[in-house]
Every structure is written in C-alpha cells, then in structure tokens.
Amino acid sequence: MKIFRLICTYLFLPILAIAQHGKMQMHMTGEMDNTKNRLPFYTKINNRDIYHLYLNDTIVNYTGKTRPAMAINGSIPGPVLDFTEGDTAEIYVHNDMMMETSIHWHGLILPNRYDGVSYLTTAPIKAGETHYFKFPLVQHGTYWYHSHTMTQEQSGLYGAFIIHEKPQTEIKEYTLLLSDWTDENPEQVQRSLHNATDWYAIKKGSTQDYLQAIRSGNLKTKLTNEWKRMMAMDVSDVYYNRFFSNGKTEDSTTQFKAGDKIRLHIVNGSSSTYFWLKYAGGKLNVIANDGEDVQDVSVDRMIIAVAETYDVIIEIPENGSYEFLATAEDRTNATSLWLGSGNKHYASKLPKLKYFEGMKMMNGMMDANGNMKEMDEMEMSNQSMDMNTVMYPEMSEEGKNDTTSATTNDITTLNYTMLRSSQPTVLPAGPTKVLNFELTGNMNRYVWTINNKTVSETDKIKIKKGEHIRIILYNNTMMRHPMHLHGHYFRVLNGQGEYSPLKNTLDIMPMERDTIEFLASESGDWFFHCHILYHMMSGMGRIFSYDNSPSNPEIPNPIKEIKKIYADDRKFYGSAKIGLETNGSDGNIAMANTRWKFSTMWHLGLKDIYGYEDEVIAGRYFTTKQWLYGYTGFDYHYKKVDHSELNLLGQLSDKNNRQTIVFGVAYTLPMLFIADARIDGNGKLRFQLGREDISLTNRLRFLIMGNTDKEYTIGLRYIITKYFSVSTHYDSDMGMGVGITVSY
C-alpha cells in the first residue's frame, strides 16, 4: 500500500507538468519559416492602409537562457502600424502558430465584429488560418493591439497602433512601447499566483518577513498586519526578468538634436507592470491620454498604468543623449529610451520601496474583516491621493504628510484631476442607468472579482442604445486595477465639468472611488475588465450586451461560445508538495479554481509504528474573502499501536485502522492560522489549529500544527529554488525527519 501510494505520487507530478507546459512546448517544436510566401507588410491604395501580420512561434534569449515566445512578423513587439485619420484599415492576421489566437484593437472605435475577443465578438483565428479585419479610422491618437487569447500577450503578441491626425503636425514623433518579460511560461506564472507561492517576493527581496520586521523596528506593524489576516504588502504580482522599451532593455534614437521638440507616443503594453516615467532633459508636457487630446499639462514625473497610452512633448535641451527612464512600480528594475547623440545625461533613479511603511498604512485603512474603511469620497478619487506615497523614500517628510498634493518636494506628479479635455465631452440628453461596481479579491488564493463575482458567475449586463451608463467604481482591494472598456470611451468625472477627460482605461488605486459614464452608442457585446492580464484571467470583468442587437456573423452560436469565455475564470490549477525525509514522506496534491478545491494529502512512515495516513477532500470556499472552507472526503489512517488511545475530547482516536468519511469546515483566523473542525462517519470529532509558511527570513519558513487527536508537528523549510527546498520537522507520530521538499 505504502509503495503504491509513492509510485502514484511521482507519476502524477509529471502529468501535471506536461499539462501546464504543453502549449509552450508546441511553440518550440512547431516553429516554421513562411517568410518566402509572405505578402508585403504594408500597401497603400488610395485611402486604404493594408497590413499583413504573421503570428509565429519563435525562440528568444533575453537573459542568457533560450525560451519559447510568440512574435508578429518575426519581432517582439510586433511592428508599429501607422495610419491616418479618415482612412480605412485593412489588416490580414495570418496565424502561423500551432494554436488558435486573436488580436484586439485596443482603444479603437470600430464595428463589434472586429473588436477581437474570441468567442465574444470575433471568431478565433485557428492555427493556419487568416482573419481579415476592415474598419474605418474615425479617430486619431496612440493605441495598440494585442492577443486576447489566454496569456499570449505575455509571450509577445502585442504592438503599437498609431493614427495620425489629418493634417499632420510638423513636430517630430517617436513611438515608445513599454513591456515586461518573464522567462517563465506565463501559464506557470498564473498557476503559481493561484497557489500562493511567495517565490516572486523572494526574488524581489520583498517578503517582509519577521527578521526584516525586527531589524527595521516594524515588528508591531508586521503583527498587526497578520492579525488583520493580511498577507505581506504587495505592489505588483510577478517578478519579471526584463523590462523593455520597444523590445530592448535600452532603446536609442540619434536623429534628434538640441532644440528639437518630440511627440512621444507612449504605450504601456505590459501584462501587469505599471511604470514611473521621468525624463533627464526636463519636463513632460502631457497632451493626450488613451488617444484623446487633453489640454497641455506640464509635470516632472507620471505613472502609466497597464494598457494606458499617453502622448507627451519633450525637448532636447542641448547636444547630448538624454534618458527617458521607465521604472517598474515595484522598482525591481527599469528600461530606458535614449534621445539624441553624444554625452549621456541620466535621469535620477528611483530607490527601493519602503514596504513596511506601506504595510503600516494599509493596517490603518483596513478593518478586521479585511475590508477597506470608507474615507472622504473627494479625497479618495481620481488618483488625487497616491496610496503608495508613504513607500517612496525620495519623498521628504513634509511630502509624506501631504499626500493629497500633486506637488511634493518640488516634484509635480501627474494625476487624473489634472487632465482636462480639449473639447467639451458632455453626453447628449438621455436616460441614465447607474451601476455600482465594487472591485473585490483574495490575494492569497488570487481570486479577482467585481461585487464578489467573476465574469462566469454573472449574467451579461443589458443596456439600451441611447442610455447613459454611469458606473461608480470602488476598489476594496490592496491592488491597483486598470479597468478597460472595449469599443467605447467614457468620461471620467474628475472635477473638470464639461471638459471631463475621455478615457478607455482607468487606473483605480486601493480605497479609491471613481465615477465614469459613457453613451451606449453601439450594438453587440463588449468586454469591461481589469487589464492586468492575470486579474482578467481570474475573472475581474463584466460583459455589456446591447438589447435588440443584430446577429454577429463571427459568433454563429453565442450561447454555446460564451462558455469559452467563462472557462477562463473556472480553470483549475494544480499544485503539489512532496517531502522525502529520513522518517518517511509527507505531501499533498491539489486542484483548485475560484471556488472549489480537490486535494489529497498523505503521511507515509518508513515503519508501521510511524503510521500511514491518506485523506481525499473536496470542498468549496465561502465569504467575500474566502476565509471559510467547507469540505467532505474520506480519511484512511493506520498505525501499529499496542493500546487504545483517547483524544483530548475523550473519544477513541482509532488511529490503528480508521477508514471513514469526514465532514468539516476550515476558517482563517487572525494571524493567518487555520482552524479546522470536523466530524467523521464514526461520530468522532477533531479540532485542529495550524499555519504553514510563516516567513522567518526571506527564505526560511516555519510550520506549526496541533489537534485534539494529540497529533502535532513543528518544522522548518529553507527555500532554495521555486520548486526545491530542504526541510526538517518533528511529527508526533513519525518523530524527527530531515530531507528535501519538492513543490510544484
């Protein structure tokens, strides 16, 4: 029996690995060279701009390691697509990959069938197929395009889309597309996030462990944080190996000279990274946001959210090369664009974040139930208060106490209240439909929702043509969320009255409440979602559906095909942890999604007196924060004992031969301890209290558990790599063990 369980365990792990990596492995083996048969990249016939985009599997090496990726016309990012307002875009997307794909034209006003969301607005582009897009260009500005299929965007399927105003201005232009890169398979990144690994925090040095807390004098802050059942303070979810400017860690352009003014088309095409922007040559003069013109505003620095675009005017003050620096919000690294030639002039670097200051701030803003406390609505809207300001070492003490000001320590920082449209944006008269969206989530289990429901757990939101759709958004999470609306522009009610700016992507900070409104002027179904890729895939979104819309020829069976959209946030992710120690083996394997979890755990002693135990459990998470878990399953336990043993409740422990069903609930207590109460088919009760992975240092973890069956465990685990650690623990049944732990 014992040997059989061990064999099954080690057979199961490779199957999980193959399932997660299979798609990317096809990219490596399925690469092909069709360049000889390709049609011209660009052709212009009268007012028709015709592009051919070829999506292909490829291999890249950005860090000294070869990795599978996806490219457009052989490059990452894809080529810049240039158009002129009033022309017609005709784009052929050729899928030379081994799997289906899609392209979404981000920020464009276009017919619903060409929006590019597979199974919702546009047919998926199957392997080997070509899809034809044709739409008029009714706007000008800075936009971009990207895959809307699984995590393909993270693998390289994105590019800039620029529509020039007619007539064009004389000012010089340059396009800067910012992005992030991980050597990991993006599907593995997603799986890791759902399984609460803190490996990315380890890589960043931001675990906020107990040793760090003691050394920095923040032990009380750390204890308060965990008493409120909060995880360590996080700024971004993923550790990235590189950040790119137009596909390079450093891009450069030498054609600009002293005195030149340049219009920078800036696109944040990252999957989950916000960037701080600074320029060594002086001020940033913001003239457009999300493709829409705004009245000029001059700032020293600004943050650009995931999926946002900005147009800024910068000037080359003197001969030389000036750094346009984009620093990841978590400040782990940066990427640069150098403008001009000659001696280099560097922008000032941003120091590391002070995470415990952020933790202290969040402690004060969150109640014991994990909800944000209500604050003044005007104070907490439109980025007027940067919730991360206390974490910025570059801010003066005076600045820290004046976080509501856009100007701190003589540094002017852009926020949404400073954006003012160049034209009135008042909506025409019409009925108003008001929606209240609370952004909710669970960082530990990586569940992201609106009103505590994922896309698949809600019906489409019915709207009518001619209605004003007003959305009041409140962010009740510890993370920023860039909310993007497809196919429409919304007014941001930021205090600018009839000149409220138009946007298609809105960054909402923790505790912030924002109001947006748009005119329902289209037809069909349109996606509204968080544009952090892994949040969207986890379910943070809604679908707006127009009443009485004509049928979409791209979606012949919408009832059937919407299930493909719903499958994204219903997906199950596997995890496993196996310990091989001197006294036996402990481990668990689980499959879990947004609400459900199926797992098996075991203890296998090397001797009969150590015992053998196996539990198979199925359960569901409840409550907004998912602190309650109800389950049922089967428990098998055998241990060679010479006498009967009573538990702390006076009941027979029956460890010698227990084969029974169990019913129970587990609840997350303050300090993140899990209280577990169960009853089995024999009427025996068991109460258990424990916690795993207590961060003592950046890599050292502590485990403690005890229950009324007089079982207890204490242990230590030192993390060496993401999947491998060394461990030691003392178990009441199995004694002291030292060995290795493999996690997946």
Side-chain angles (χ1 to χ4, degrees), residues 1 5 612-614 634-638 657-659:
M1 183 70 174
R5 292 183 191 281
Y612 320 129
E613 183 177 7
D614 187 19
F634 185 82
D635 179 19
Y636 167 82
H637 191 291
Y638 169 79
N657 191 16
R658 183 168 68 225
Q659 302 179 49

Side-chain angles (χ1 to χ4, degrees), residues 447-498:
V447 174
W448 300 105
T449 54
I450 296 177
N451 297 337
N452 195 34
K453 291 185 178 181
T454 65
V455 172
S456 72
E457 294 172 331
T458 59
D459 295 327
K460 296 177 181 178
I461 298 174
K462 292 293 185 180
I463 59 177
K464 297 178 181 178
K465 206 164 187 176
E467 283 184 326
H468 297 171
I469 310 302
R470 179 171 295 172
I471 307 174
I472 302 170
L473 293 146
Y474 176 61
N475 186 357
N476 193 16
T477 78
M478 293 173 61
M479 299 294 293
R480 305 175 84 132
H481 300 288
M483 302 302 295
H484 170 55
L485 177 62
H486 285 224
H488 300 72
Y489 273 81
F490 49 74
R491 301 178 76 235
V492 182
L493 304 188
N494 67 341
Q496 298 289 356
E498 64 180 14

Side-chain angles (χ1 to χ4, degrees), residues 177-282:
L177 196 161
L178 302 169
S179 59
D180 45 29
W181 171 262
T182 172
D183 275 345
E184 278 194 271
N185 180 337
E187 292 295 315
Q188 282 288 20
V189 171
Q190 188 166 228
R191 186 192 64 81
S192 297
L193 292 170
H194 281 273
N195 286 299
T197 177
D198 63 350
W199 175 247
Y200 300 132
I202 291 172
K203 293 287 286 183
K204 296 178 187 183
S206 62
T207 52
Q208 300 145 67
D209 52 73
Y210 274 94
L211 181 61
Q212 291 177 8
I214 293 170
R215 284 179 172 175
S216 62
N218 286 291
L219 180 59
K220 180 180 178 181
T221 299
K222 174 70 172 175
L223 292 171
T224 302
N225 183 73
E226 294 192 346
W227 180 259
K228 292 191 174 186
R229 292 176 277 196
M230 286 192 286
M231 308 297 292
M233 182 73 185
D234 200 8
V235 171
S236 61
D237 303 329
V238 182
Y239 171 80
Y240 284 103
N241 299 94
R242 294 288 185 272
F243 298 106
F244 290 145
S245 296
N246 297 329
K248 307 170 186 176
T249 54
E250 288 193 357
D251 188 21
S252 62
T253 176
T254 59
Q255 69 265 36
F256 302 120
K257 308 299 180 184
D260 282 350
K261 289 187 177 181
I262 305 145
R263 179 177 185 146
L264 270 185
H265 300 279
I266 308 171
V267 177
N268 186 349
S270 70
S271 291
S272 65
T273 302
Y274 285 64
F275 289 98
W276 277 106
L277 307 180
K278 299 176 68 179
Y279 176 51

